[in-house]
Amino acid sequence: MKETTKMSRAVGQLEKIYNVLNLDFFDGELPLPIITVQSKPGTYGHCSVAKVWQRPDGETFELNIAAEVLNFPIEETLDTMLHEMVHLYCRKHDIKETSRGGRYHNGRFKAEAERRGLTCYQCGNAGWNTRPGDNLVEYALSKGWNEIKIGRNHLPPIMRTGSTGAAHSGAPTAAGGEKRPSSTRKLVCPKCGQSVRATKTVNILCGDCMERMMEV
């Protein structure tokens, strides 16, 4: 896959990822939302609680990936996308998976997320959040999906409040606004720059340069 360094290509990649995830994890039953990339400091993404977009074939939902995390590791993108797709599934089936204006993710959200192989953890006042496990790393590798190489500069941490408002339910950061704990490590060849991901500390050589790859 080519490096994704243009916004049009980034959105196209997100749409492709959505369609594949829909088939693999939801039997293709979810409606096609409008996928957007907008600045959402304090969250990784959101799914609208109503059909807020109009198009010739009818109204549809909005699914957003936050511009601040667009260039995070690909497994983070998959986790965020699946997280928001769980919200969309719950909208479709009238499952009340959130409360407090969409901020609190309850046990019903946890159950539906874990059905799709997501790893859930408690996130303070936000209830249950998700983080990528080894399975998403392996899934991304099996699909040949690469990281998106563009992202909006982060706002100062004090502004990463996690607020999403009543119009959306979002994938929050960890308590206090910090980045969710990562389940992977990135290793880079100091000579050619080739990179790999691992789910534990490893000692490996670059097959091209025979240089020890360094964790970054």
Side-chain angles (χ1 to χ4, degrees), residues 39-44 66 68-69 103 152-165 172-179:
S39 180
K40 291 288 292 183
T43 70
Y44 281 61
E68 289 79 11
V69 301
R103 287 286 299 129
R152 186 180 175 91
N153 290 336
H154 291 277
L155 296 175
I158 193 171
M159 297 184 68
R160 291 176 63 80
T161 62
S163 175
T164 59
T173 58
E178 67 270 18
K179 184 180 176 182

CSV table of all heavy atoms in Angstrom, one decimal, residues 39-44 66 68-69 103 152-165 172-179:
chain,number,residue,atom,x,y,z
A,39,SER,N,-10.9,17.9,14.0
A,39,SER,CA,-10.2,18.1,15.2
A,39,SER,C,-11.1,17.8,16.4
A,39,SER,O,-12.2,18.4,16.5
A,39,SER,CB,-9.7,19.6,15.3
A,39,SER,OG,-9.0,19.8,16.5
A,40,LYS,N,-10.7,16.9,17.3
A,40,LYS,CA,-11.5,16.5,18.4
A,40,LYS,C,-10.6,16.3,19.6
A,40,LYS,O,-10.3,15.2,20.1
A,40,LYS,CB,-12.3,15.2,18.1
A,40,LYS,CG,-13.4,15.3,17.1
A,40,LYS,CD,-14.6,16.1,17.7
A,40,LYS,CE,-15.3,15.4,18.8
A,40,LYS,NZ,-16.5,16.1,19.3
A,41,PRO,N,-9.9,17.4,20.1
A,41,PRO,CA,-9.0,17.2,21.2
A,41,PRO,C,-9.7,16.5,22.4
A,41,PRO,O,-10.8,16.9,22.8
A,41,PRO,CB,-8.6,18.6,21.6
A,41,PRO,CG,-9.6,19.5,20.9
A,41,PRO,CD,-10.1,18.8,19.7
A,42,GLY,N,-9.0,15.5,23.0
A,42,GLY,CA,-9.6,14.8,24.1
A,42,GLY,C,-10.3,13.5,23.8
A,42,GLY,O,-10.6,12.7,24.6
A,43,THR,N,-10.5,13.2,22.5
A,43,THR,CA,-11.1,12.0,22.1
A,43,THR,C,-10.3,11.4,20.9
A,43,THR,O,-9.6,12.1,20.2
A,43,THR,CB,-12.6,12.1,21.7
A,43,THR,OG1,-12.7,12.9,20.4
A,43,THR,CG2,-13.4,12.9,22.7
A,44,TYR,N,-10.6,10.2,20.6
A,44,TYR,CA,-10.0,9.5,19.4
A,44,TYR,C,-10.9,9.5,18.3
A,44,TYR,O,-10.5,9.4,17.1
A,44,TYR,CB,-9.6,8.1,19.8
A,44,TYR,CG,-8.3,8.0,20.6
A,44,TYR,CD1,-8.2,8.5,21.8
A,44,TYR,CD2,-7.2,7.3,20.1
A,44,TYR,CE1,-7.0,8.4,22.6
A,44,TYR,CE2,-6.0,7.1,20.8
A,44,TYR,CZ,-5.9,7.7,22.0
A,44,TYR,OH,-4.8,7.6,22.7
A,66,ALA,N,-10.4,11.5,14.9
A,66,ALA,CA,-9.9,12.7,15.3
A,66,ALA,C,-8.6,13.0,14.6
A,66,ALA,O,-7.7,12.2,14.4
A,66,ALA,CB,-9.6,12.7,16.8
A,68,GLU,N,-6.1,14.7,15.4
A,68,GLU,CA,-4.9,14.7,16.3
A,68,GLU,C,-4.3,13.3,16.4
A,68,GLU,O,-3.2,13.1,16.8
A,68,GLU,CB,-5.3,15.2,17.7
A,68,GLU,CG,-5.5,16.7,17.8
A,68,GLU,CD,-6.9,17.1,17.3
A,68,GLU,OE1,-7.8,16.2,17.1
A,68,GLU,OE2,-7.1,18.3,17.1
A,69,VAL,N,-5.1,12.2,16.1
A,69,VAL,CA,-4.6,10.9,16.2
A,69,VAL,C,-4.6,10.1,14.9
A,69,VAL,O,-4.4,8.9,14.9
A,69,VAL,CB,-5.4,10.1,17.3
A,69,VAL,CG1,-5.4,10.8,18.6
A,69,VAL,CG2,-6.9,9.9,16.9
A,103,ARG,N,-21.1,10.4,27.3
A,103,ARG,CA,-19.8,10.3,27.9
A,103,ARG,C,-19.5,9.0,28.5
A,103,ARG,O,-18.3,8.6,28.6
A,103,ARG,CB,-19.6,11.5,28.9
A,103,ARG,CG,-19.5,12.8,28.3
A,103,ARG,CD,-18.1,13.1,27.6
A,103,ARG,NE,-17.1,13.0,28.6
A,103,ARG,CZ,-16.0,12.2,28.4
A,103,ARG,NH1,-15.8,11.5,27.3
A,103,ARG,NH2,-15.0,12.2,29.3
A,152,ARG,N,-2.9,16.1,12.6
A,152,ARG,CA,-2.9,17.5,13.1
A,152,ARG,C,-2.0,17.6,14.3
A,152,ARG,O,-2.0,16.7,15.1
A,152,ARG,CB,-4.3,17.9,13.4
A,152,ARG,CG,-4.5,19.4,13.8
A,152,ARG,CD,-5.9,19.7,14.1
A,152,ARG,NE,-6.1,21.0,14.6
A,152,ARG,CZ,-6.4,22.1,13.8
A,152,ARG,NH1,-6.5,21.9,12.5
A,152,ARG,NH2,-6.5,23.3,14.3
A,153,ASN,N,-1.3,18.7,14.4
A,153,ASN,CA,-0.5,18.9,15.6
A,153,ASN,C,-1.3,18.8,16.9
A,153,ASN,O,-2.5,19.4,16.9
A,153,ASN,CB,0.3,20.2,15.6
A,153,ASN,CG,1.3,20.2,14.5
A,153,ASN,OD1,1.9,19.2,14.1
A,153,ASN,ND2,1.7,21.4,14.0
A,154,HIS,N,-0.8,18.2,17.9
A,154,HIS,CA,-1.6,18.1,19.2
A,154,HIS,C,-1.7,19.5,19.9
A,154,HIS,O,-0.8,20.3,19.9
A,154,HIS,CB,-0.9,17.1,20.1
A,154,HIS,CG,-0.9,15.7,19.7
A,154,HIS,ND1,-2.0,14.9,19.9
A,154,HIS,CD2,0.0,15.0,19.0
A,154,HIS,CE1,-1.7,13.7,19.3
A,154,HIS,NE2,-0.5,13.8,18.8
A,155,LEU,N,-2.9,19.7,20.4
A,155,LEU,CA,-3.1,20.8,21.3
A,155,LEU,C,-2.5,20.6,22.6
A,155,LEU,O,-2.2,19.4,23.0
A,155,LEU,CB,-4.6,21.1,21.5
A,155,LEU,CG,-5.3,21.4,20.2
A,155,LEU,CD1,-6.8,21.6,20.5
A,155,LEU,CD2,-4.8,22.7,19.6
A,156,PRO,N,-2.2,21.6,23.4
A,156,PRO,CA,-1.6,21.4,24.7
A,156,PRO,C,-2.4,20.5,25.6
A,156,PRO,O,-3.6,20.5,25.5
A,156,PRO,CB,-1.6,22.8,25.3
A,156,PRO,CG,-1.6,23.8,24.1
A,156,PRO,CD,-2.4,23.0,23.1
A,157,PRO,N,-1.8,19.6,26.4
A,157,PRO,CA,-2.5,18.6,27.2
A,157,PRO,C,-3.6,19.2,28.0
A,157,PRO,O,-4.6,18.6,28.3
A,157,PRO,CB,-1.4,18.0,28.1
A,157,PRO,CG,-0.2,18.2,27.3
A,157,PRO,CD,-0.3,19.5,26.6
A,158,ILE,N,-3.4,20.4,28.5
A,158,ILE,CA,-4.5,21.0,29.4
A,158,ILE,C,-5.8,21.2,28.7
A,158,ILE,O,-6.9,21.2,29.3
A,158,ILE,CB,-4.0,22.4,30.0
A,158,ILE,CG1,-4.9,22.8,31.1
A,158,ILE,CG2,-3.9,23.4,28.9
A,158,ILE,CD1,-4.4,24.0,31.9
A,159,MET,N,-5.7,21.2,27.3
A,159,MET,CA,-7.0,21.4,26.5
A,159,MET,C,-7.6,20.1,26.1
A,159,MET,O,-8.6,20.0,25.5
A,159,MET,CB,-6.7,22.3,25.3
A,159,MET,CG,-6.2,23.7,25.6
A,159,MET,SD,-6.0,24.7,24.2
A,159,MET,CE,-7.7,24.9,23.6
A,160,ARG,N,-6.9,19.0,26.4
A,160,ARG,CA,-7.4,17.6,26.0
A,160,ARG,C,-8.3,17.1,27.2
A,160,ARG,O,-7.9,16.3,28.0
A,160,ARG,CB,-6.2,16.7,25.8
A,160,ARG,CG,-5.4,17.0,24.5
A,160,ARG,CD,-4.2,16.1,24.3
A,160,ARG,NE,-4.6,14.8,24.1
A,160,ARG,CZ,-5.1,14.3,22.9
A,160,ARG,NH1,-5.2,15.0,21.9
A,160,ARG,NH2,-5.4,13.0,22.8
A,161,THR,N,-9.5,17.7,27.2
A,161,THR,CA,-10.4,17.5,28.3
A,161,THR,C,-11.2,16.2,28.2
A,161,THR,O,-11.8,15.7,29.1
A,161,THR,CB,-11.4,18.7,28.4
A,161,THR,OG1,-12.2,18.7,27.2
A,161,THR,CG2,-10.6,20.0,28.6
A,162,GLY,N,-11.4,15.7,27.0
A,162,GLY,CA,-12.2,14.5,26.8
A,162,GLY,C,-13.7,14.9,26.5
A,162,GLY,O,-14.5,14.0,26.3
A,163,SER,N,-14.0,16.1,26.5
A,163,SER,CA,-15.4,16.5,26.3
A,163,SER,C,-15.8,16.3,24.8
A,163,SER,O,-15.1,16.5,23.9
A,163,SER,CB,-15.5,18.0,26.5
A,163,SER,OG,-16.8,18.5,26.2
A,164,THR,N,-17.0,15.7,24.7
A,164,THR,CA,-17.5,15.4,23.3
A,164,THR,C,-18.9,16.1,23.1
A,164,THR,O,-19.2,16.2,21.9
A,164,THR,CB,-17.7,13.9,23.2
A,164,THR,OG1,-18.7,13.4,24.2
A,164,THR,CG2,-16.4,13.1,23.3
A,165,GLY,N,-19.6,16.4,24.1
A,165,GLY,CA,-20.9,17.1,23.8
A,165,GLY,C,-22.0,16.0,23.6
A,165,GLY,O,-21.7,14.9,23.4
A,172,PRO,N,-13.0,8.0,24.3
A,172,PRO,CA,-12.3,8.9,25.1
A,172,PRO,C,-10.8,8.5,25.2
A,172,PRO,O,-10.5,7.3,25.0
A,172,PRO,CB,-13.0,8.9,26.4
A,172,PRO,CG,-13.6,7.5,26.5
A,172,PRO,CD,-13.9,7.1,25.1
A,173,THR,N,-10.0,9.4,25.6
A,173,THR,CA,-8.7,9.1,26.1
A,173,THR,C,-8.8,8.5,27.5
A,173,THR,O,-9.8,8.5,28.1
A,173,THR,CB,-7.8,10.3,26.1
A,173,THR,OG1,-8.4,11.3,27.0
A,173,THR,CG2,-7.6,11.0,24.7
A,174,ALA,N,-7.6,8.1,28.0
A,174,ALA,CA,-7.6,7.7,29.4
A,174,ALA,C,-7.9,8.8,30.3
A,174,ALA,O,-7.9,10.0,29.9
A,174,ALA,CB,-6.2,7.1,29.7
A,175,ALA,N,-8.2,8.5,31.6
A,175,ALA,CA,-8.6,9.5,32.6
A,175,ALA,C,-7.5,10.6,32.6
A,175,ALA,O,-6.3,10.4,32.6
A,175,ALA,CB,-8.7,8.9,34.0
A,176,GLY,N,-8.0,11.9,32.6
A,176,GLY,CA,-7.1,13.0,32.7
A,176,GLY,C,-6.7,13.5,31.3
A,176,GLY,O,-6.0,14.5,31.2
A,177,GLY,N,-7.1,12.8,30.2
A,177,GLY,CA,-6.8,13.2,28.9
A,177,GLY,C,-5.5,12.7,28.3
A,177,GLY,O,-5.2,13.0,27.1
A,178,GLU,N,-4.8,11.8,29.0
A,178,GLU,CA,-3.5,11.3,28.4
A,178,GLU,C,-3.8,10.2,27.4
A,178,GLU,O,-4.9,9.7,27.4
A,178,GLU,CB,-2.6,10.8,29.5
A,178,GLU,CG,-3.1,9.5,30.2
A,178,GLU,CD,-4.0,9.8,31.5
A,178,GLU,OE1,-4.4,11.0,31.6
A,178,GLU,OE2,-4.2,8.9,32.3
A,179,LYS,N,-2.8,9.9,26.6
A,179,LYS,CA,-2.9,8.9,25.6
A,179,LYS,C,-3.2,7.5,26.2
A,179,LYS,O,-2.7,7.2,27.3
A,179,LYS,CB,-1.7,8.8,24.8
A,179,LYS,CG,-1.7,7.9,23.6
A,179,LYS,CD,-0.4,7.8,22.9
A,179,LYS,CE,-0.4,6.8,21.8
A,179,LYS,NZ,0.8,6.7,21.0
